[in-house]
Amino acid sequence: MGELRAYLEENLREKEDAPEVPHAGMAVLRQQLLLAQAIGAWLEELKKDLVPGGDLP
């Protein structure tokens, strides 16, 4: 999940000031990053709740 989030953050930074990227495209990139963050937080909660010590790969 960390790799995906890092990729999305980098992609967003690269395209943030690019005039050729439409507003809708930037909105989609931001939504993807928010979704990846939410999934990552959810997975961390699952680790705490389901696995003693939270040790999952």
Side-chain angles (χ1 to χ4, degrees), residues 1 3 9-10 12-13 17-19 23 25-26 28 30 32 34 38-41 45-46 48 50-52 54-56:
M1 211 59 225
E3 286 182 39
E9 288 170 349
E10 180 183 340
L12 188 61
R13 275 192 306 273
D17 298 321
H23 292 291
M26 288 304 299
V28 169
R30 288 185 191 99
Q32 289 174 339
L34 287 172
I39 291 171
E45 286 298 316
L46 279 179
K48 290 179 195 173
L50 298 178
V51 178
D55 294 330
L56 280 179

Side-chain angles (χ1 to χ4, degrees), residues 7-48:
Y7 169 76
L8 290 171
E9 288 170 349
E10 180 183 340
N11 197 17
L12 188 61
R13 275 192 306 273
E14 288 176 0
K15 294 179 179 171
E16 208 163 28
D17 298 321
E20 66 273 7
V21 178
H23 292 291
M26 288 304 299
V28 169
L29 287 175
R30 288 185 191 99
Q31 289 172 348
Q32 289 174 339
L33 179 57
L34 287 172
L35 180 59
Q37 291 169 338
I39 291 171
W42 176 68
L43 288 173
E44 289 301 316
E45 286 298 316
L46 279 179
K47 288 179 191 179
K48 290 179 195 173

